[in-house]
């Protein structure tokens, strides 16, 4: 049996076939967008963003394939964060990942009460009003609480053990960090317990770092604690170079400082926090609620000594301290 199709029917059939892929694509759900908000700069945070992407991948999401990431970097200008966060909300992103300190989280929280937020910062999220409790956040936010402020006294103890002759200890802090008051108070209290004096200098901009070290030299400090802060983390190469130039023994918060030539570091593993943020963002994209995802607290801490830097400073590192280090950089 032969079926004959007229010219008009053939044209109509071909037109329908050509239109079908377009209609099918139009019916596909839009690719979700993650808003990635950070108080610092993209370059120094590349390895942390990579860790975030790995966490996303483990949850089944690959950037550019089934999820888009819209990055917003404040370049160390914390005052830009509220507008950057508001812009992400206007774009109707599926989740905001607020990184680079509590200032980013505060900006995101102020911008929306409904868009899910995954934060990474060092300020107690319960005290900030981010969550009702660590185990049951109860709102639109959850994340990773690094509690670096509680680690600052330990950093001072390690520094004192390495350079016990240093009586005046400098403290470099960022006055725009919401944690700055508790950090300074904790360090000063710990210093008094050890019989040490402290000299606090604030810095929140690139040019202020140079001036801060000039002040430390004038005050004849014997060693330096660089307080945990995303702005300092983004400027770790400059800080390490300034400490070397003025021959000041210094301790920092992340391993990345010691790897860049800093004398010592003690703190949490920041890449793990970004990895976990990626995992949580993926789980939220799959339908889980921040209210039901417990705030994660780190359980691993790294103590790193750069032996090459110690030798350049003329410091003999005690074997007892070397034995306690998780990593010794030769």
């Amino acid at each position: 049996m032969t079926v004959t199709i007229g010219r008009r029917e053939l044209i109509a059939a071909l037109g329908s076939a050509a239109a079908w892929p377009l209609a099918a694509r139009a019916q596909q759900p839009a690719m979700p967008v993650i808003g990635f908000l950070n108080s610092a700069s993209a370059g120094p945070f590349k390895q942390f963003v990579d860790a975030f992407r790995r966490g996303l991948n483990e949850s089944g999401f690959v950037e550019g394939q089934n999820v888009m990431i819209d990055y917003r970097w404040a370049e160390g200008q914390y005052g830009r964060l509220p507008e950057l966060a508001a812009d992400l909300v206007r774009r109707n992103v599926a989740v905001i990942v607020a990184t680079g300190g509590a200032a980013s989280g505060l900006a995101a929280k102020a911008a929306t009460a409904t868009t899910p937020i995954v934060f990474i910062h060092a300020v107690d999220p319960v005290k900030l009003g981010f969550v009702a409790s660590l185990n049951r956040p109860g709102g639109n936010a959850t994340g990773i609480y690094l509690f670096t402020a509680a680690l600052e006294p330990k950093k001072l103890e390690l520094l004192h053990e390495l350079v016990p002759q240093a009586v005046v200890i400098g403290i470099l802090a960022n006055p725009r960090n919401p944690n700055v008051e508790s950090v300074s108070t904790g360090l000063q209290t710990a210093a008094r317990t050890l019989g040490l004096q402290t000299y606090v200098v604030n810095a929140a901009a690139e040019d202020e770092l140079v001036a801060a070290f000039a002040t430390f030299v004038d005050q004849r400090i014997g060693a330096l604690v660089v307080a945990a802060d995303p702005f300092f983390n983004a400027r770790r190469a400059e800080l390490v170079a300034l400490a070397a130039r003025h021959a000041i023994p210094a301790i920092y918060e992340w391993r990345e400082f010691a790897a860049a030539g800093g004398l010592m570091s003690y703190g949490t593993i920041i890449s793990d926090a970004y990895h976990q943020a990626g995992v949580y963002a993926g789980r939220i994209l799959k339908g889980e609620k921040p209210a039901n995802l417990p705030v994660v607290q780190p359980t691993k801490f790294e103590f790193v000594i750069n032996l090459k830097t110690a030798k350049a400073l003329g410091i003999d590192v005690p074997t007892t301290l070397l034995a306690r280090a998780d990593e010794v950089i030769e």
Side-chain angles (χ1 to χ4, degrees):
M1 175 179 174
T2 302
V3 178
T4 304
I5 300 178
R7 182 172 179 272
R8 182 175 298 174
E9 290 82 356
L10 178 61
I11 293 172
L14 290 172
S16 298
W20 181 82
L22 295 176
R25 284 196 295 270
Q27 291 172 5
Q28 291 176 354
M31 191 180 296
V33 179
I34 295 173
F36 188 96
L37 180 67
N38 191 289
S39 63
S41 308
F45 275 70
K46 181 184 180 303
Q47 59 193 311
F48 307 135
V49 174
D50 288 343
F52 170 73
R53 292 194 187 105
R54 287 194 296 273
L56 265 182
N57 294 350
E58 289 180 15
S59 299
F61 292 93
V62 179
E63 183 178 9
Q65 293 185 19
N66 58 354
V67 68
M68 298 296 294
I69 306 177
D70 194 351
Y71 299 94
R72 295 288 188 275
W73 300 92
E75 306 291 341
Q77 301 176 43
Y78 287 19
R80 294 180 57 200
L81 287 167
E83 178 53 32
L84 293 175
D87 185 49
L88 290 173
V89 174
R90 285 192 294 268
R91 189 174 175 192
N92 197 30
V93 297
V95 56
I96 295 176
V97 178
T99 63
S104 296
L106 288 168
K109 193 69 173 169
T112 179
T114 55
T115 302
I117 298 169
V118 177
F119 58 78
I120 301 175
H121 61 65
V123 184
D124 185 342
V126 177
K127 289 183 179 179
L128 280 181
F130 272 48
V131 298
S133 71
L134 298 180
N135 288 332
R136 298 186 63 83
N140 69 316
T142 187
I144 300 89
Y145 170 34
L146 297 176
F147 56 82
T148 53
L151 302 179
E152 297 293 348
K154 180 63 176 178
K155 286 164 59 179
L156 178 60
E157 290 174 17
L158 291 169
L159 186 63
H160 178 58
E161 190 171 343
L162 181 63
V163 282
Q165 71 277 13
V167 177
V168 181
I169 307 297
I171 299 172
L172 182 65
N174 185 347
R176 296 176 187 168
N177 189 314
N179 233 8
V180 65
E181 196 168 318
S182 61
V183 165
S184 297
T185 301
L187 279 169
Q188 289 168 338
T189 301
R192 284 194 294 272
T193 302
L194 295 170
L196 305 173
Q197 302 173 41
T198 58
Y199 194 87
V200 181
V201 176
N202 291 325
E206 191 102 29
D207 58 335
E208 293 176 356
L209 294 177
V210 176
F213 274 82
T215 301
F216 286 138
V217 172
D218 289 343
Q219 294 299 318
R220 299 180 181 278
I221 67 166
L224 172 66
V225 175
V226 177
D229 184 80
F231 170 71
F232 295 155
N233 196 8
R235 304 296 189 281
R236 54 184 176 269
E238 292 93 328
L239 286 168
V240 167
L242 284 166
R245 183 187 310 165
H246 297 291
I248 299 175
I251 189 167
Y252 311 86
E253 77 258 43
W254 313 121
R255 177 198 177 277
E256 287 72 20
F257 280 90
L263 176 60
M264 291 196 302
S265 67
Y266 179 76
T268 56
I269 304 172
I270 187 66
S271 57
D272 286 356
Y274 277 80
H275 176 272
Q276 180 61 47
V279 171
Y280 263 13
R283 290 175 65 176
I284 289 170
L285 290 178
K286 287 181 174 179
E288 294 191 59
K289 305 297 183 185
N292 302 323
L293 295 174
V295 174
V296 176
Q297 299 179 78
T299 57
K300 293 189 294 184
F301 306 91
E302 280 186 317
F303 174 36
V304 183
I305 300 174
N306 190 313
L307 207 55
K308 181 179 178 181
T309 301
K311 289 177 180 177
L313 291 169
I315 297 173
D316 291 323
V317 182
T319 54
T320 53
L321 207 56
L322 287 172
R324 284 153 51 198
D326 297 286
E327 181 182 358
V328 176
I329 299 174
E330 300 285 351

